[in-house]
Amino acid sequence: AQRVTQPEKLLSVFKGAPVELKCNYSYSGSPELFWYVQYSRQRLQLLLRHISRESIKGFTADLNKGETSFHLKKPFAQEEDSAMYYCALRRQGAQKLVFGQGTRLTINP
Amino acid sequence: KAGVTQTPRYLIKTRGQQVTLSCSPISGHRSVSWYQQTPGQGLQFLFEYFSETQRNKGNFPGRFSGRQFSNSRSEMNVSTLELGDSALYLCASSSLRGSYNEQFFGPGTRLTVL
């Protein structure tokens, strides 16, 4: 079965501190992994995907197949990073996304 | 390019009624997916349409149905509404081209069932 687990519903850090949002998945095969972000009063949007191995807005995420994890990291949090973050997976070639429950990240000034 | 649009944005219905939600994908996108978002269950996949054909369906009862038109616009219908159907319904479109095949989400339709 496909499943995505985000263990933290809420995460609060101070501005300038490092932040890590955890994501673990279960999937029999090689899925595509994503992080989506939803800022206040904005639509859900793609933040980054594992296949591109890019850094967006200072965020990076590394796929660890051994630990079946795809944690999102940023070395220095900014206030504008406050948002809801969703980890998601999908089978290669498919459209159906399986989402985690989301983590609400709050950056304190 | 205009983004994914959904109408109406807000809807209030009573139990037992039916409702139709509409989604207009980004121009040129032929794949449309629907998701239900609730505080308890989070984001759950409803179905996906491509070229007027349903390609995948989530684990929802038959009261939830959809369709896609030749211009790629999609509608979803929920019949015999229940209180638990209150949710934000999101639509996403994709061109299915390129390696990344990104899905773009609409703002959602918030359905309240009284």
Side-chain angles (χ1 to χ4, degrees):
Chain A
Q2 302 173 11
R3 181 171 292 180
V4 177
T5 303
Q6 293 179 249
E8 303 130 333
K9 279 191 174 180
L10 303 170
L11 185 61
S12 182
V13 302
F14 286 102
K15 178 183 173 182
V19 61
E20 181 180 43
L21 288 81
K22 291 184 167 49
C23 172
N24 288 89
Y25 67 91
S26 62
Y27 184 82
S28 54
S30 295
E32 295 180 342
L33 273 295
F34 305 86
W35 276 99
Y36 280 82
V37 61
Q38 190 166 31
Y39 301 103
S40 179
R41 299 191 190 88
Q42 293 188 28
R43 60 186 68 188
L44 194 63
Q45 58 187 280
L46 179 66
L47 180 61
L48 50 79
R49 63 208 117 195
H50 89 274
I51 57 174
S52 58
R53 301 182 64 82
E54 57 199 343
S55 172
I56 302 292
K57 298 184 179 182
F59 285 98
T60 59
D62 289 320
L63 178 61
N64 186 321
K65 292 186 179 180
E67 296 182 358
T68 58
S69 68
F70 188 56
H71 303 328
L72 183 68
K73 299 177 184 179
K74 185 170 182 177
F76 307 103
Q78 303 298 314
E79 289 184 65
E80 56 265 30
D81 296 329
S82 294
M84 194 75 181
Y85 291 81
Y86 295 94
C87 182
L89 67 75
R90 73 180 183 193
R91 178 174 57 83
Q92 289 185 15
Q95 292 300 293
K96 173 185 174 182
L97 286 163
V98 176
F99 287 90
Q101 289 286 74
T103 297
R104 182 168 297 283
L105 175 65
T106 302
I107 308 301
N108 300 304
Chain B
K1 263 187 185 176
V4 177
T5 58
Q6 293 186 244
T7 57
R9 293 293 311 278
Y10 302 91
L11 207 47
I12 299 175
K13 293 286 188 179
T14 56
R15 279 181 299 174
Q17 287 187 309
Q18 75 164 18
V19 67
T20 299
L21 312 182
S22 181
C23 171
S24 292
I26 291 171
S27 177
H29 286 193
R30 295 169 63 192
S31 170
V32 174
S33 299
W34 289 89
Y35 294 84
Q36 182 195 63
Q37 185 175 24
T38 59
Q41 300 298 317
L43 281 152
Q44 293 186 289
F45 173 80
L46 280 156
F47 24 64
E48 184 222 346
Y49 287 87
F50 176 77
S51 291
E52 302 178 64
T53 301
Q54 186 181 90
R55 294 209 300 182
N56 202 351
K57 190 177 192 305
N59 189 26
F60 279 83
R63 300 185 297 105
F64 291 80
S65 63
R67 59 179 176 168
Q68 186 180 35
F69 302 94
S70 58
N71 61 358
S72 294
R73 189 177 70 85
S74 178
E75 289 181 348
M76 66 163 282
N77 184 277
V78 188
S79 62
T80 320
L81 283 166
E82 300 177 0
L83 295 179
D85 297 333
S86 294
L88 182 67
Y89 290 88
L90 296 175
C91 161
S93 76
S94 173
S95 67
L96 298 186
R97 293 198 188 102
S99 307
Y100 294 156
N101 194 6
E102 181 177 347
Q103 292 185 56
F104 294 84
F105 283 82
T109 293
R110 178 148 321 265
L111 171 64
T112 302
V113 182
L114 303 175

